[in-house]
Amino acid sequence: MDRYEGFREFVDARQQSLMRTAYLLTGDSHLAEDLVQTVLTRVASHWSRLAGTGNPEAYTRKALVNQHLSWRRRRSFSEIAGLEVPDRGEAHDDATLRRLALRQSLAKLSPKQRAVIVLRFYEDRSEQETAQLMGCSVGTVKSQTRYALSKLRALAPEEAYR
Amino acid sequence: MNALRDDLHELALEAPSVDLASRALAAARRRRAVRLTVSVAATVAVVTGGVAVAVGAPERATVVTPQVSPLPSDVITQEARPLPGNGVGALLEAYQQQGRWYLRTREGQSYDAGEVIQGDGPLSITADGRRIAYFDRKLRTIVVRDLASGQIWGAPLQLPARTFDAEYALRLSPSGMRMIVAGWGAGRGRNVLVDLVKGSVKELDRAWFPVSVSDTGAAVLIRPFDDHTSLRVLGHDQITLPDFAYDFSSLAPDGKTIARLGQTHDPDRRPQIQQDRTIILTDALAGGDRPRVKLSGVPSELNPARLGAWLSADEVTLLAVPTSARDGNAATVYAVNVRTGQARKLFVTQDATRTTVPGLVS
């Protein structure tokens, strides 16, 4: 039996979702692709065990977050370059302005703060789930969320994310 | 918070479409042989003088430059039998098949170590192949086992069972009496330097990644950044290398020279970091790179991946892994002359889920 049987189908079904999360975590499409490929390579390496008795989805999600956090050691993160929030005089609606500001603000968060924002407000994870994925306590999730939101509010346009 | 949720979902839609299954599968197949530690023992058919493995006297151990003679190209592998309590010769490699660890000696004897080494925790082999270190689930610590005598030393650590869910590194000194246990990601809280003789544990800064540790406790630690890498030998000032670097050798017999694989960083390529098939020597204490030396003698189908222990003042071990899983190549260990870049083939590793050979910085 092929040791990777079922892996391709697993990836086909989830890679886009993983890429979106990775993109939010890293803020860079190339880094996101590197991140997802790194994680999927690990998943493939353990596939025979994961497919048999494990939970590949949970393992992959957790590995994605762990890998993102551990990259701090391997590489410092690239800041999102070049995007400035346009003046209100230009033809941009409030939502567009907010998103542009959000991109820049996310880049200024620490990897851990960025992860809690993505997991709590993009993936809609509970505090417990977020703590489990990040390998930290619920208290840490609460405090990191608080710090991250404070930063986002300070950096985002007025009245956003209140 | 609905605005934040909406904006995050809008931002996420900017992620490009990808098709990563084939790339991940190819990388996974290559990776089957990546967790390796290179065997000095495997390359040393004749060692004169005592290699620093004397139990109870590691502090007095001195660096011995082994005399090297070629390893027979074909090692006959016999059927694996259960790992006995003692009387096992120096290892060529350890490999994992279907979740079970097997040990293969230089003489070609294979042992089933599945009852001794359980789980996915680390397995490291001292550079001379005579001792192994692994996570003992019952004792919940790392133990070092002398394969010939059967003597076992336990590290004074109490590790949670989930310790090795995360990425980890286990570095052994040549005698196995000192080790660094480090990890990152979930489930790991400490990076420690352990002295098994004294029974002491020293906390290390978690921001630094361990490369190697000597029998005198000289730990080499690195901290890579995008455009430079900090390196320090414990007890000495840190030095700065001018580029991102991650693949280092252990310290050379002179106690200060360290080798690393040259690489380039190009954000427009994938992967962004590419090995450039060079080797660079640095003075780990005073700093300063010597000019890059181009590697020769490693076929283009193999990619230089890891460096390891030194075979002499001029030769360091190198692991090269296949660039493609489809061409039938296997990970191969070389000895590289760091002055000329010339590599000579030592042995081909076993095709297995995971392979561990002694000495490499993996």
Side-chain angles (χ1 to χ4, degrees):
Chain A
M1 190 185 88
D2 180 5
R3 74 174 66 232
Y4 302 112
E5 187 176 334
F7 175 76
R8 186 177 294 278
E9 290 75 15
F10 171 81
V11 173
D12 287 345
R14 291 163 181 83
Q15 62 184 350
Q16 212 50 47
S17 166
L18 292 168
M19 263 302 288
R20 287 173 182 161
T21 299
Y23 180 70
L24 290 177
L25 288 172
T26 61
D28 178 279
S29 56
H30 293 305
L31 279 177
E33 197 169 332
D34 281 355
L35 177 60
V36 175
Q37 188 180 341
T38 300
V39 168
L40 289 178
T41 300
R42 277 179 62 185
V43 172
S45 299
H46 298 294
W47 183 250
S48 53
R49 184 162 52 89
L50 287 168
T53 58
N55 181 343
E57 173 84 33
Y59 178 91
T60 306
R61 293 280 170 188
K62 187 164 184 172
L64 189 77
V65 176
N66 284 340
Q67 190 69 32
H68 160 68
L69 296 174
S70 72
W71 272 10
R72 283 183 302 166
R73 289 171 183 269
R74 296 183 179 233
R75 309 199 49 215
S76 62
F77 269 69
S78 303
E79 293 289 321
I80 297 173
L83 276 175
E84 293 296 331
V85 181
D87 294 335
R88 277 186 172 272
E90 297 177 34
H92 295 281
D93 59 26
D94 284 347
T96 305
L97 285 172
R98 265 204 331 263
R99 283 199 302 279
L100 289 169
L102 178 61
R103 279 171 63 103
Q104 292 189 316
S105 304
L106 284 172
K108 291 172 179 162
L109 300 182
S110 71
K112 198 173 270 186
Q113 289 168 349
R114 194 166 179 138
V116 293
I117 290 293
V118 172
L119 294 173
R120 294 280 288 114
F121 300 106
Y122 173 66
E123 295 202 344
D124 273 332
R125 304 267 179 187
S126 68
E127 289 175 336
Q128 286 78 8
E129 287 175 317
T130 303
Q132 198 173 20
L133 283 168
M134 293 177 63
C136 63
S137 68
V138 172
T140 301
V141 170
K142 286 177 190 285
S143 62
Q144 291 292 324
T145 305
R146 193 165 60 245
Y147 296 143
L149 284 175
S150 304
K151 271 194 191 176
L152 287 183
R153 285 168 181 149
L155 294 164
E158 286 180 22
E159 301 305 319
Y161 316 138
R162 299 289 162 186
Chain B
M1 287 302 111
N2 284 338
L4 178 57
R5 286 189 172 87
D6 291 345
D7 290 349
L8 286 167
H9 280 273
E10 287 294 326
L11 267 185
L13 292 176
E14 294 177 6
S17 297
V18 289
D19 183 7
L20 296 174
S22 299
R23 278 152 56 183
L25 277 173
R29 288 184 171 119
R30 284 198 300 274
R31 221 180 98 152
R32 289 173 69 190
V34 162
R35 274 187 191 276
L36 299 174
T37 338
V38 171
S39 172
V40 171
T43 65
V44 180
V46 180
V47 177
T48 58
V51 176
V53 293
V55 179
E59 282 76 15
R60 294 192 298 276
T62 54
V63 176
V64 174
T65 300
Q67 295 178 358
V68 180
S69 66
L71 187 79
S73 56
D74 294 311
V75 178
I76 299 168
T77 304
Q78 301 168 11
E79 190 175 345
R81 58 191 177 94
L83 183 68
N86 55 37
V88 175
L91 296 185
L92 178 69
E93 64 178 344
Y95 58 94
Q96 196 178 33
Q97 288 177 339
Q98 296 178 324
R100 202 167 179 87
W101 280 103
Y102 296 85
L103 309 180
R104 189 159 67 119
T105 68
R106 274 189 286 162
E107 287 72 33
Q109 178 65 56
S110 287
Y111 295 99
D112 178 351
E115 298 303 314
V116 177
I117 311 163
Q118 298 171 330
D120 276 340
L123 170 62
S124 290
I125 308 171
T126 53
D128 67 355
R130 297 175 192 277
R131 291 178 176 174
I132 58 174
Y134 54 92
F135 180 59
D136 186 306
R137 278 185 167 177
K138 286 182 186 166
L139 298 174
R140 302 251 306 265
T141 192
I142 304 290
V143 298
V144 172
R145 175 181 176 130
D146 186 280
L147 293 166
S149 70
Q151 187 169 354
I152 290 174
W153 297 263
L157 302 169
Q158 267 295 302
L159 301 170
R162 62 191 288 268
T163 293
F164 300 106
D165 286 352
E167 296 281 350
Y168 54 78
L170 173 61
R171 307 287 187 234
L172 277 182
S173 71
S175 73
M177 290 294 101
R178 282 190 169 85
M179 66 172 76
I180 298 176
V181 185
W184 57 95
R188 282 286 310 143
R190 304 166 73 196
N191 286 2
V192 291
L193 171 60
V194 179
D195 183 334
L196 288 176
V197 175
K198 294 178 181 171
S200 63
V201 176
K202 179 185 173 69
E203 296 281 342
L204 298 175
D205 186 337
R206 291 179 60 198
W208 291 74
F209 181 78
V211 173
S212 65
V213 60
S214 75
D215 281 327
T216 58
V220 179
L221 308 167
I222 59 163
R223 196 170 180 187
F225 298 89
D226 266 0
D227 55 357
H228 71 280
T229 300
S230 299
L231 181 150
R232 67 184 171 122
V233 180
L234 218 56
H236 298 269
D237 292 339
Q238 73 180 56
I239 63 165
T240 301
L241 308 174
D243 51 16
F244 172 86
Y246 213 72
D247 299 310
F248 290 85
S249 72
S250 58
L251 274 182
D254 65 7
K256 63 179 184 179
T257 301
I258 194 166
R260 71 178 190 272
L261 291 172
Q263 56 191 18
T264 58
H265 177 215
D266 182 349
D268 295 327
R269 291 187 69 180
R270 284 191 292 273
Q272 295 180 16
I273 294 167
Q274 304 270 340
Q275 301 284 1
D276 66 0
R277 300 176 82 85
T278 64
I279 196 164
I280 307 164
L281 296 182
T282 300
D283 185 326
L285 302 182
D289 282 353
R290 291 187 211 162
R292 289 173 190 243
V293 175
K294 193 77 182 166
L295 285 171
S296 57
V298 179
S300 58
E301 298 78 29
L302 295 177
N303 198 29
R306 298 282 189 275
L307 293 170
W310 292 73
L311 304 174
S312 69
D314 290 333
E315 276 194 323
V316 69
T317 43
L318 164 75
L319 169 78
V321 299
T323 53
S324 168
R326 282 193 285 273
D327 55 14
N329 290 304
T332 304
V333 178
Y334 292 85
V336 176
N337 186 311
V338 295
R339 320 288 166 192
T340 64
Q342 182 64 47
R344 61 185 176 87
K345 182 176 172 181
L346 295 175
F347 66 96
V348 176
T349 66
Q350 191 88 353
D351 184 19
T353 313
R354 280 171 71 186
T355 306
T356 300
V357 289
L360 196 89
V361 180
S362 59

